[in-house]
Amino acid sequence: MTTDTEIPTTNTTAPRSPSRRCWIAFHLLRPIPPNRMNRGERGNPKSAPLGDVERLYLSSQSQRYAWRKALAQGELASRLGTRTRRLPRLVKEALDRQGADPGIARGMSELLRTIGKAESAPSAEGAVDAEDMTSAILYLTRDEIDAMSVFALAHADALLRVDPAGEAAPPDDASGKAAPPDKAAPPDKAAKKKSKKAVASVVDRAGELTRLRGELTTFLATTAPRLAPDVALFGRFNTSEEIRPIAATLRVAHAIGVTPYEPAYDFFTTNDDCTPGGPAAHMGLIEHGSAVFYQYLDLAATSLVEALGDRAEAAQTAAALARVVALVTPSGAENSTAPHTPPAYLEVHIHRGSQPLNLCEPFASPLTHRADADVLTQAVHALRAHVRSVHDTLYEPEEVVARFTFVPSGRTLPLYEGETRLASLAELCKAVQSAVESV
């Protein structure tokens, strides 16, 4: 039996080989008071059926977003990526700071707006997109964003040729204004020739944009190959080749309530300070929900090391992730409910050669309060018993090489064979970091 706070190091140093890939699984039980931290399209807490009973849940997206924002407040902040549709604006600002020709920025914006589109269709002659946004949201590293302005300056002549404002038709009179439609001259051979020339110009610009897209793809691959830690964790999907897609190394399940969902309704009124004793100025009814949540996520540690190309950075990233997973919950309606709570119980399993599994089965049938045990106590014991059963029957001994448990609630629990009880979150983060360092 492993003693408390004694972090094993021998089991996590298995030979590095493709057949012994490493995963780190997190299992948490977290009680959360009445809240509205994750709401659906109707503004109510999200719920879904499980075991023929409606359950409160926290979506995977809401958890990942909360963790990504929390990582930006920690030691990884300077290395994290940016998710935005406003890449053209960021590049334009960088070029303006360098005193570049405005036409280069407009041409680069024209190029960037084609990212995510099947064809490199240029804007109409003389048109400048006021929104200056890409067609789809992009998740970019800082190196990639910086490389965009370097690419623009290196391809200045080509970008000036695709500048949509660079080929605007000249004014029709000395005033500098275009002639109104009712005074426009009838079409003649010269006008038709000009129209054909404009069509040819658009075609030429489309071809130039296609060529520039290919060059941008190559340039980014060679100039900004390094991934940001959060991009490696959460992955990114793109519909064009310029920004390479990245498979996520972190999988996150919807967190589920272990009890039936029974919505509670909060009736509230708002008083008008300038009408003391008067009727309510506003009133409403808001739905809340509370539950003990089972949270599950797993990290493909070997894939994270491969994606970042740096074992030390991957280990630091995994440790930072462990910390925010324990401390951070979605922030919806936090001012009115302050629902952020620590986990009451947390397990981390280090797997070698076999992927971990979501262990929600003990909660497929909802738990209910018993005279001899509250719901949280039942949930902790049910999860611990299920972990032992799964590890004993589904995995070989060498496949689950370490099992760490952390009990912030201070509950007294027996220590099972192969279990290492950790005394603090710092020890848990250290254990996760050591597991990745051994990959």
Side-chain angles (χ1 to χ4, degrees), residues 46 192 326:
K46 289 185 177 180
K192 291 181 179 179

Side-chain angles (χ1 to χ4, degrees), residues 68 79-82 139-142 144 226-236 244-249 304 307-308:
R68 189 169 69 86
R79 288 173 277 163
L80 298 183
T82 298
Y139 198 2
L140 303 163
T141 69
R142 298 197 179 195
E144 288 170 332
R226 184 180 178 185
L227 281 186
D230 56 332
V231 176
L233 283 174
F234 302 112
R236 67 184 181 192
R244 61 188 171 113
I246 303 298
T249 57
L304 180 64
L308 292 176

Side-chain angles (χ1 to χ4, degrees), residues 118-249:
E119 298 179 358
S120 305
S123 301
E125 243 182 52
V128 177
D129 187 349
E131 293 296 330
D132 223 13
M133 297 193 297
T134 54
S135 62
I137 194 164
L138 303 174
Y139 198 2
L140 303 163
T141 69
R142 298 197 179 195
D143 287 349
E144 288 170 332
I145 294 174
D146 293 341
M148 296 291 181
S149 58
V150 176
F151 176 87
L153 294 174
H155 296 77
D157 291 342
L159 291 172
L160 288 171
R161 289 195 292 272
V162 299
D163 173 11
E167 298 181 359
D172 291 325
D173 56 39
S175 68
K177 298 180 179 179
D182 58 340
K183 295 183 179 181
D188 54 18
K189 291 183 178 179
K192 291 181 179 179
K193 185 176 180 181
K194 181 179 179 182
S195 177
K196 290 181 180 178
K197 184 178 180 182
V199 171
S201 173
V202 171
V203 173
D204 290 346
R205 286 167 57 213
E208 190 74 26
L209 284 170
T210 299
R211 184 183 66 80
L212 282 169
R213 286 177 68 172
E215 293 189 6
L216 179 61
T217 301
T218 303
F219 184 82
L220 291 177
T222 56
T223 308
R226 184 180 178 185
L227 281 186
D230 56 332
V231 176
L233 283 174
F234 302 112
R236 67 184 181 192
F237 170 77
N238 295 302
T239 55
S240 60
E241 296 179 353
E242 293 83 0
I243 312 298
R244 61 188 171 113
I246 303 298
T249 57

Side-chain angles (χ1 to χ4, degrees), residues 353-389:
S354 61
Q355 292 193 39
L357 300 171
N358 184 320
L359 301 182
C360 67
E361 183 183 339
F363 315 119
S365 296
L367 303 180
T368 56
H369 181 77
R370 298 197 322 246
D372 62 334
D374 59 53
V375 168
L376 179 55
T377 299
Q378 293 178 60
V380 170
H381 287 290
L383 177 59
R384 286 172 59 79
H386 188 55
V387 167
R388 291 190 70 188
S389 175

Side-chain angles (χ1 to χ4, degrees), residues 23-46:
W23 286 268
I24 304 175
F26 297 77
H27 306 268
L28 299 87
L29 289 169
R30 188 190 305 264
I32 299 182
N35 72 89
R36 302 175 65 240
M37 62 171 59
N38 187 208
R39 302 185 295 278
E41 69 278 5
R42 296 183 180 180
N44 297 328
K46 289 185 177 180

